[in-house]
Amino acid sequence: MADALELDALWEDFHRVVNMTSAELSAWLRVSDAGEATEPLPDQAGSPTGQHVLAILQKRRTDLTEDDLGVMRAVVDTVTEQTDVENEPAAEDTERRHRLMTLGHDPLKG
């Protein structure tokens, strides 16, 4: 397990880049996974990573597992890489925005 300072920094970074609430992310995962004829069960909607991000959002810091920490690091790295100042997605870049939203980051959200 990471030491307390590393955990604090990761927790802050994760909650900085994941700017959607758990309710918003849950709704997005259901919408993005719904097909014309079927819709997945709410607890099975979205990618495994999106589901893991949602689970992390619903946890306390003291309840995090090593798997949670790995997902948190990956999400922070991915979102940071894809949203640096030069590459901030434009409102018209719907596909990119939707990929980021699957990780809990809405680039159009302030």
Side-chain angles (χ1 to χ4, degrees), residues 26-97:
S26 179
W28 169 250
L29 293 174
R30 285 192 310 272
V31 167
S32 68
D33 224 19
E36 286 185 33
T38 63
E39 185 172 327
L41 295 172
D43 62 338
Q44 297 174 358
S47 69
T49 303
Q51 282 295 318
H52 203 144
V53 169
L54 182 59
I56 292 168
L57 288 174
Q58 297 168 343
K59 287 186 176 188
R60 296 176 303 174
R61 186 182 329 205
T62 57
D63 296 331
L64 296 173
T65 66
E66 285 295 325
D67 285 343
D68 295 337
L69 298 178
V71 168
M72 290 170 72
R73 285 183 192 101
V75 167
V76 168
D77 290 347
T78 301
V79 172
T80 301
E81 177 183 295
Q82 293 189 21
T83 60
D84 65 22
V85 176
E86 294 177 35
N87 294 324
E88 186 65 33
E92 303 81 37
D93 193 354
T94 304
E95 184 178 319
R96 187 172 184 197
R97 176 180 180 225

Side-chain angles (χ1 to χ4, degrees), residues 6-18 72 75-77 79-80:
E6 288 177 48
L7 181 58
D8 287 347
L10 179 58
W11 180 263
E12 292 300 319
D13 287 345
F14 179 78
H15 284 87
R16 176 182 47 81
V17 301
V18 176
M72 290 170 72
V75 167
V76 168
D77 290 347
V79 172
T80 301

